[in-house]
Amino acid sequence: MSNLSYANAEYGPWKTFLEQVDRVAPYLSEDLSKYVDTLKRPKRALIVDVPIIMDDGTIRHFEGYRVQHNLSRGPGKGGIRYHPDVEINEVMALSAWMTIKTAVVNLPFGGAKGGIRVDPRTLSPRELERLTRRYTSEISHIIGPQKDIPAPDVGTNANVMGWIMDTYSSGQGHTVTGVVTGKPVHLGGSLGRVKATGRGVFITGYEIAKKIGLSLDGAKVSVQGFGNVGSEAANLFSEYKSKIVCIQDHTGTIFNADGIDLEGLHAHVAATQGVLGFAGAKQIDNEDFWDVETDIIIPAALEGQITIERAKRLKAKMILEGANGPTYPEADDILVGRDIVVVPDVICNAGGVTVSYFEWVQDMSSFFWTEDEINERLDKLMIQAVADVWNCAADNKCTMRTAAYILACERILRARKERGIYPG
Ligand code: GLU
């Protein structure tokens, strides 16, 4: 159990993370397991007040965070979330999952995450820019290309990253493209970054489907979340002739047993900002999403979606965790008992941070790659990483989640051991 005074370990995503660490501990060698407590607390957690002048002249205060969970293997890496539910417990867990994720795919980074408790849809573009710039200035002393590199997450996008880059650069007196990834392409961003997470979800799903003998041709797929991740994953599954039967987003849930026409849906979402009301599907209750007859479920929204109760009900052969932390540990146990394969978040959605790494490398060398080069390198890296996780799970007779944690924790704790505990 955590003894951190500022984080309640009795509930929420941080509790989920601690339980995941407890599950991997028995698999670690003795010389490494004595360092495991290093994962049970973040290295550094910053809480900042972000006051801004609203368009109507009033002043509002927002609470912002940047947590660096572990820096043993390199600078912190991880997104910035703008969402009304953001709080320290969640940001700590999200930063910890980044530590595991960068280590599973062997990127030279630690794990970090940030966020502001705000509903970005309620702010004007100018208010959003002021919020982002003030937040950046408040966290600017702990971020940097060799310290901690933010990126987009739920509620943020390339424009927000552009403002972060510009604000940080103003403080430094010169342009520092490598301080943040997921930037607009003409500001040092990488081709392929926007679609990278969804692409990685598809690639890992494709690889594991082959292993379990699930043909994608005609397979039924349900997707929760139709943002960056869910929509691109749906596009790729549909290119491989799977049927996207059910989609849920913040506006509601739509269903079509014959498969939803994605081209039409994209046009509808561009016009109305949500899937609800799309003529090519019928609306169903949000809770009924978990009862749909389907082969693959892709939770690609927020954490804490697959509860014990939903794990008992859902009908799927495979779950692809596009979101971070969508499944509770106790629900994981039920899915194992039901022979439902889970491709865990820390490998399944690692495509985004992998192309973030490529972006950071390109910024460092001021030499930019083609989209084909990026996708080729991404595919190769993800295929290898998911095969390593699959083989590790087979060798240890454990879930792919525990296997991913074994591979990651060995790398992180070895780095910790070799660096030593200062002052020794
Ligand atoms: N927010 C994304 C994630 O959870 C991307 C992080 C990054 O690119 O640094 O993996």
Side-chain angles (χ1 to χ4, degrees):
M1 251 330 132
S2 170
N3 58 3
L4 297 171
S5 55
Y6 51 87
N8 185 344
E10 300 304 318
Y11 81 104
W14 180 246
K15 176 170 185 260
T16 297
F17 174 72
L18 291 179
E19 284 186 26
Q20 289 165 344
V21 172
D22 285 341
R23 284 168 182 227
V24 73
Y27 295 90
L28 299 175
S29 62
E30 214 179 300
D31 64 325
L32 296 183
S33 64
K34 70 175 181 196
Y35 294 94
V36 82
D37 276 4
T38 203
L39 296 169
K40 295 188 178 178
R41 63 211 67 233
K43 176 177 178 60
R44 189 176 284 136
L46 180 64
I47 303 181
V48 293
D49 174 38
V50 189
I52 62 161
I53 299 174
M54 306 297 283
D55 290 346
D56 65 5
T58 58
I59 298 170
R60 270 186 73 188
H61 292 258
F62 296 88
E63 193 160 294
Y65 310 89
R66 185 72 188 171
V67 176
Q68 295 167 349
H69 173 258
N70 189 283
L71 305 179
S72 295
R73 301 179 62 257
K77 188 83 197 79
I80 290 177
R81 178 172 293 196
Y82 289 177
H83 191 276
D85 296 337
V86 166
E87 39 92 34
I88 188 71
N89 181 306
E90 181 191 45
V91 183
M92 281 169 50
L94 291 167
S95 70
W97 285 322
M98 289 309 302
T99 301
I100 304 293
K101 199 185 300 184
T102 55
V104 176
V105 284
N106 213 1
L107 309 178
F109 292 132
K113 201 84 172 200
I116 303 179
R117 184 159 56 252
V118 59
D119 182 352
R121 291 194 183 91
T122 63
L123 298 189
S124 72
R126 286 284 294 118
E127 289 167 343
L128 199 64
E129 179 176 346
R130 283 197 288 269
L131 182 80
T132 301
R133 289 187 183 279
R134 181 61 191 254
Y135 167 72
T136 305
S137 121
E138 295 297 337
I139 64 164
S140 63
H141 56 291
I142 65 162
I143 61 169
Q146 302 300 340
K147 289 182 176 177
D148 179 3
I149 306 127
D153 195 74
V154 175
T156 59
N157 57 21
N159 289 341
V160 172
M161 299 306 118
W163 292 324
I164 293 176
M165 192 277 270
D166 184 70
T167 309
Y168 182 83
S169 297
S170 300
Q172 300 294 308
H174 61 102
T175 299
V176 187
T177 52
V179 65
V180 67
T181 59
K183 300 177 293 293
V185 170
H186 47 278
L187 293 182
S190 178
L191 294 167
R193 174 63 186 85
V194 175
K195 294 183 172 176
T197 312
R199 187 178 177 92
V201 170
F202 173 74
I203 292 167
T204 53
Y206 177 91
E207 291 298 311
I208 300 305
K210 274 194 296 191
K211 305 261 189 214
I212 64 172
L214 171 64
S215 164
L216 295 188
D217 191 344
K220 290 186 268 227
V221 179
S222 297
V223 186
Q224 186 195 39
F226 203 61
N228 216 3
V229 182
S231 67
E232 182 57 16
N235 288 343
L236 291 170
F237 274 101
S238 137
E239 265 177 41
Y240 277 73
K241 299 198 171 58
S242 303
K243 278 194 292 192
I244 314 300
V245 292
C246 191
I247 301 179
Q248 178 174 95
D249 76 356
H250 63 282
T251 61
T253 307
I254 60 169
F255 173 79
N256 182 338
D258 299 325
I260 296 168
D261 160 37
L262 289 181
E263 217 174 292
L265 182 63
H266 282 296
H268 174 83
V269 170
T272 68
Q273 315 307 320
V275 300
L276 204 66
F278 177 55
K282 70 170 186 189
Q283 184 187 349
I284 60 170
D285 277 354
N286 280 342
E287 196 50 38
D288 294 346
F289 176 85
W290 303 101
D291 297 311
V292 167
E293 291 284 347
T294 189
D295 297 299
I296 300 172
I297 295 183
I298 308 178
L302 296 171
E303 58 272 6
Q305 295 303 299
I306 304 184
T307 56
I308 294 179
E309 197 265 325
R310 287 173 178 168
K312 286 182 185 159
R313 271 160 58 196
L314 59 82
K315 302 172 186 67
K317 300 184 179 73
M318 179 162 78
I319 295 173
L320 301 178
E321 293 188 337
N324 291 309
T327 310
Y328 285 100
E330 301 77 9
D332 259 339
D333 297 337
I334 289 166
L335 296 172
V336 171
R338 297 187 59 206
D339 277 336
I340 297 170
V341 174
V342 178
V343 184
D345 49 3
V346 290
I347 176 75
C348 190
N349 71 34
V353 72
T354 300
V355 175
S356 276
Y357 166 58
F358 297 161
E359 179 172 331
W360 180 77
V361 169
Q362 292 171 84
D363 289 341
M364 293 291 127
S365 56
S366 297
F367 181 76
F368 290 86
W369 313 345
T370 66
E371 188 156 1
D372 281 350
E373 281 170 327
I374 283 154
N375 285 341
E376 218 173 278
R377 285 179 203 244
L378 171 65
D379 295 359
K380 199 170 153 210
L381 195 146
M382 295 290 292
I383 290 168
Q384 184 61 54
V386 78
D388 290 347
V389 171
W390 175 268
N391 293 335
C392 178
D395 291 347
N396 288 286
K397 298 189 178 30
C398 64
T399 62
M400 288 182 73
R401 190 182 318 280
T402 298
Y405 275 64
I406 294 173
L407 294 173
C409 290
E410 276 173 359
R411 289 180 181 141
I412 300 158
L413 301 181
R414 190 159 304 285
R416 182 68 277 153
K417 181 182 170 206
E418 287 173 5
R419 288 177 68 151
I421 304 279
Y422 176 82

